[in-house]
Amino acid sequence: MTADTQPIPRPGILDVAPYVGGESKAEGVARVIRLASNESALGPSPRAIAAYEARAREIHRYPDGGSTELRAALARHHGLDADRIVCGSGSDELISLLVRAYVGPDDEVVYSRHGFLMYPIAAKTAGATPVAAPEKNLTTDIDALLAAVTAKTKIVFLANPNNPTGTYTSAEDVARLHAGLPPSVLLVIDAAYAEYVRRNDYEAGIELVATCENVVMCRTFSKIYGLAALRLGWLYGPAHVVDAINRIRGPFNVNAAAIAAGIAAIQDGAHVEASRAHNERWLAWLTTEIRKLGLEVTPSIANFVLIHFPDAKGRTAEEADAFLTQRGLILRRVGAYKLPNALRMSVGSEEANRLVVDALAEFLSRKDPGR
Ligand SMILES: Cc1ncc(COP(=O)(O)O)c(C=O)c1O
């Protein structure tokens, strides 16, 4: 037996390319506008900020490990059973916990080709194999997902709407996906952007979870509620899944300030509505204006747009990113999502949106783009 000279991580861990978040700085630029992480354009509710601040003098106390009041508030707001909700430190934590609970070495986790990066990362962390199903027109292809399922599949992840494409799967297609899965496979519907969606044929997943024993829905406070820094997410699932996750999560996985701010955020319906209305207006505006510049924009129903750039030297996504960054406009490169010719942009404030469109116009009209 040869002795290792240092501790060695479990198989799969060193195959994980660390998740790279959106940039927050641009060298030499004083004022930076961050549009790289699908954060809320309007920020959090003033009531959530007040609730957060009010916790300051209590930070020597452990939080309620069961997030009881927050689960009750979520249950009331969405008409759910509070006992079937688990809160987490962002939905990222819940995704990891689901994989930790249900996936082991040599198992498979199915997701769609341009699906959210945390799915393959979590799968590899468990020593499992992430299996990416092809998409059609940058949209999840249900038949391809089903075709990718094997006897080794433990979880199928569906981001709906999907990040970074902004496209979605109709309730009918989600039901068809579920109907095609063996009962032993867990379908995780990640509806991080559900609050932004205004489509009659969309359903975030609550109805399927209510009637099926192998469906879980994940949600977050990081997007429309504007609480990304506090790390707060939740899942709604069958009692047996909730039981499994509650056994392995940290006893105090959600902090007290997040719980307080989350409750206040849910209660400020006017702020959520204002955020939704702002998004609806500026998502449409950005899509139209960027297309007018001659760039392709994938139709999005979330709070971001995916902008496609040509291959031509001087006009590429990489060069556009550098050009925008010099002006303090930080968008997201999406090469890690197998979209090297695109940039993802969060819907921002009116000023931010106009600055990006103006800068893109300038970028595309450069006479000597090689410089
Ligand atoms: C589809 C999707 N799921 C989950 C998350 C993670 O959200 P959270 O901040 O709750 O961990 C994101 C964040 O961008 C996302 O786009």
Side-chain angles (χ1 to χ4, degrees):
M1 199 178 96
T2 54
D4 287 323
T5 56
Q6 61 184 31
I8 306 292
R10 283 188 293 105
I13 301 289
L14 298 182
D15 298 335
V16 174
Y19 183 87
V20 180
E23 288 292 335
S24 55
K25 294 191 287 287
E27 218 168 297
V29 181
R31 182 175 177 230
V32 159
I33 296 182
R34 292 167 60 168
L35 300 165
S37 300
N38 305 342
E39 293 154 350
S40 162
L42 299 194
S45 152
R47 286 164 66 172
I49 297 171
Y52 172 79
E53 287 173 348
R55 295 302 307 178
R57 306 223 157 263
E58 291 290 321
I59 56 175
H60 56 302
R61 304 269 178 223
Y62 280 96
D64 166 19
S67 302
T68 317
E69 282 180 43
L70 175 59
R71 286 188 298 109
L74 285 165
R76 267 195 309 277
H77 183 72
H78 293 280
L80 306 176
D81 175 358
D83 290 340
R84 292 175 57 180
I85 295 173
V86 185
C87 296
S89 176
S91 43
D92 279 348
E93 186 196 22
L94 297 167
I95 291 165
S96 300
L97 289 171
L98 286 163
V99 170
R100 184 136 64 90
Y102 290 95
V103 183
D106 300 326
D107 289 337
E108 292 176 353
V109 168
V110 171
Y111 69 113
S112 79
R113 179 172 159 79
H114 304 293
F116 184 48
L117 266 188
M118 281 307 294
Y119 313 148
I121 289 178
K124 285 182 190 164
T125 304
T129 307
V131 178
E135 299 191 1
K136 270 193 194 137
N137 296 328
L138 298 179
T139 306
T140 302
D141 178 345
I142 299 302
D143 296 307
L145 275 186
L146 287 173
V149 173
T150 70
K152 291 183 170 182
T153 307
K154 290 295 187 315
I155 294 185
V156 173
F157 278 106
L158 173 71
N160 196 25
N162 184 49
N163 168 21
T165 54
T167 56
Y168 77 109
T169 304
S170 70
E172 195 183 330
D173 275 347
V174 179
R176 192 161 70 80
L177 170 62
H178 173 257
L181 292 176
S184 59
V185 172
L186 187 64
L187 172 61
V188 177
I189 304 172
D190 179 353
Y193 302 93
E195 291 84 0
Y196 288 108
V197 180
R198 293 177 189 260
R199 286 288 188 287
N200 290 337
D201 60 349
Y202 174 82
E203 204 276 311
I206 289 174
E207 284 175 24
L208 266 191
V209 175
T211 51
C212 306
E213 287 299 311
N214 63 334
V215 184
V216 167
M217 173 189 70
C218 293
R219 303 284 284 263
T220 182
F221 281 84
S222 300
K223 306 303 172 184
I224 209 163
Y225 291 110
L227 300 181
L230 295 186
R231 313 305 302 124
L232 184 60
W234 56 285
L235 69 72
Y236 187 55
H240 63 95
V241 174
V242 165
D243 176 54
I245 300 304
N246 276 333
R247 285 168 193 265
I248 62 167
R249 71 176 171 82
F252 304 105
N253 62 327
V254 179
N255 71 76
I259 292 173
I263 294 168
I266 297 171
Q267 289 166 348
D268 193 348
H271 186 75
V272 174
E273 197 41 52
S275 299
R276 201 178 357 247
H278 174 93
N279 193 66
E280 193 173 19
R281 172 170 177 214
W282 290 100
L283 178 69
W285 184 86
L286 281 169
T287 306
T288 308
E289 296 301 317
I290 296 170
R291 282 183 181 155
K292 274 191 210 160
L293 300 176
L295 298 173
E296 200 185 314
V297 180
T298 301
S300 169
I301 58 163
N303 69 334
F304 53 87
V305 284
L306 188 66
I307 311 167
H308 302 268
F309 290 81
D311 258 341
K313 189 167 162 22
R315 301 277 187 261
T316 64
E318 189 180 347
E319 288 158 299
D321 185 46
F323 185 89
L324 293 168
T325 300
Q326 280 167 9
R327 284 152 184 77
L329 301 167
I330 316 277
L331 276 61
R332 182 65 153 266
R333 300 282 310 275
V334 279
Y337 286 94
K338 303 189 178 65
L339 295 163
N341 298 328
L343 294 179
R344 192 193 66 200
M345 173 190 177
S346 318
V347 173
S349 65
E350 170 170 357
E351 182 200 12
N353 299 332
R354 291 190 188 281
L355 284 172
V356 171
V357 169
D358 289 350
L360 283 175
E362 198 186 322
F363 170 72
L364 293 167
S365 65
R366 290 184 306 169
K367 291 271 174 330
D368 184 6
R371 284 195 306 160

